[in-house]
Amino acid sequence: MSSASYSLPRWVEIGLLPVWNLLVALAVSAAVVLAIGHSPVQAFQVLVKGALGTPSGLGYTLYYATTFVFTGLAVAVAFHAGLFNIGGEGQGTFAGLGLTLAALYLAPQWPAWLLLPLMVVVAALFGMAWAAVPAYLQAWRGSHIVITTIMFNFLAASLNAYLLVNVLRPAGSMAVESTPFPEAGRMPGLHDVAAWFGIEMLPSPLNLSSLLAVAACVFVGWFLWRSRLGYALRAVGSAPRAAEYAGIHPKRQILVAMAISGAMAGMVAVNELSGVQGKLALDFMAGAGFAGIAVSLMGRNHPVGIVLASLLFGVLYQGGVEVSFELPGFSREMVVTVQGLIVLFAGAMAMVSAPLFAKLFKGARRG
């Protein structure tokens, strides 16, 4: 049930309610930290300082946020079409294979200024292709999109492992990873770009993929709320029978939504492989596709909200690492527990407080 069912003002639904849920999540997390024998204030200070207090920490936070923006948008686009795409892991993994093939086999002949845009396009196309098959099965065969995207996650992981072991791994190497990308296939870091203009910045994994994330947010916002195709997609997601009666083809919209969703998930490969690792690794997605579900839910499936939720997740990931290092006895598992509580209360239970706010505003209007 959405907050709209409680007749909440728009500014409450997208502003006050998420802030309240986040405060509740932090309060519950503070109680857990206190229960395991640590100071919540100290843990929070270390988390914020580690994520935002240094240039290096801020770079890592924004790098994580870039990945979450892509996967959050992937979930949101499909959601507006009435689909629950939980195949971001597989779509990003398959996109990584395409990006790696382009980097390894085209770099000797192509300059960086031409190769990098091509790698972005290839990653998007491979992500679209991997998402198109579940979309077809949903639209024309009636297979449930959740089941097929789950299975395609495993298929992509298995294909990735096979190719790394038998095809892409350098001869004589025991590491399950591809040959390193040539320099022309590496996305420049922001510290490299700053150096071109004589500005000195500390190295961090933050790279030009962050600009792609900004462009992706602008595109998704325009597409969903300013284009005719986006209107048709949202109409199918809201009322498929009514949309079909109005002349909109639901099957076509399912394909369009999943294609765009797969392309967004494929951009993770650009950030992770071309921007940071410089080679194809066995599990470079590392759960980012599933984290995108929580990011999209917390961001109300809107690009602006997704950016804010991605920043929060970036702070939790980077700051959580610092907390596990700085506080003796505060293990990584404890950090994951606190992160999970924040996701639970600020994301999955986002509408629990909606009836309370509705009663308060209803009472205020009567008064």
Side-chain angles (χ1 to χ4, degrees), residues 27-52:
V28 175
S29 301
V32 172
V33 172
L34 189 63
I36 60 180
H38 288 276
S39 167
V41 175
Q42 183 184 13
F44 182 75
Q45 288 175 341
V46 173
L47 185 145
V48 173
K49 182 178 179 181
L52 305 173

Side-chain angles (χ1 to χ4, degrees), residues 57-267:
L58 180 60
Y60 273 91
T61 297
L62 295 177
Y63 150 68
Y64 288 128
T66 298
T67 289
F68 297 137
V69 165
F70 288 134
T71 54
L73 291 175
V75 174
V77 171
F79 185 86
H80 281 288
L83 305 170
F84 193 27
N85 176 23
I86 59 175
E89 290 282 309
Q91 292 147 22
T93 298
F94 194 66
L97 288 172
L99 181 142
T100 299
L101 294 175
L104 294 180
Y105 295 106
L106 296 179
Q109 294 83 25
W110 293 53
W113 63 269
L114 194 56
L115 178 62
L116 288 175
L118 177 66
M119 290 170 61
V120 172
V121 172
V122 168
L125 291 176
F126 270 64
M128 292 171 66
W130 201 251
V133 180
Y136 171 80
L137 294 174
Q138 163 89 10
W140 276 273
R141 299 302 180 196
S143 301
H144 201 288
I145 197 75
V146 171
I147 303 300
T148 52
T149 50
I150 286 176
M151 296 309 299
F152 268 64
N153 286 339
F154 290 105
L155 289 174
S158 300
L159 179 61
N160 185 37
Y162 174 82
L163 291 177
L164 280 175
V165 171
N166 297 284
V167 179
L168 299 173
R169 184 174 59 171
S173 174
M174 296 299 294
V176 186
E177 56 190 27
S178 73
T179 303
F181 294 173
E183 192 61 31
R186 298 296 305 272
M187 185 68 71
L190 287 191
H191 59 279
D192 295 323
V193 176
W196 299 344
F197 298 95
I199 303 173
E200 185 176 352
M201 290 180 60
L202 291 177
S204 76
L206 185 63
N207 58 83
L208 289 183
S209 299
S210 58
L211 300 182
L212 287 177
V214 174
C217 288
V218 173
F219 167 75
V220 169
W222 168 84
F223 173 79
L224 288 176
W225 287 280
R226 292 291 184 269
S227 70
R228 293 179 61 185
L229 192 57
Y231 174 82
L233 185 148
R234 290 188 294 114
V236 169
S238 299
R241 292 184 179 273
E244 188 172 13
Y245 182 78
I248 300 173
H249 302 284
K251 295 179 179 179
R252 185 182 305 168
Q253 299 308 316
I254 290 174
L255 280 177
V256 170
M258 287 299 292
I260 296 176
S261 182
M264 293 294 108
M267 292 298 97

Side-chain angles (χ1 to χ4, degrees), residues 3 5-9 12 352-367:
S3 57
S5 304
Y6 304 105
S7 301
L8 285 173
V12 175
V352 171
S353 301
L356 173 62
F357 275 83
K359 290 180 180 179
L360 290 175
F361 275 88
K362 187 176 181 180
R365 287 171 181 172
R366 288 179 178 176

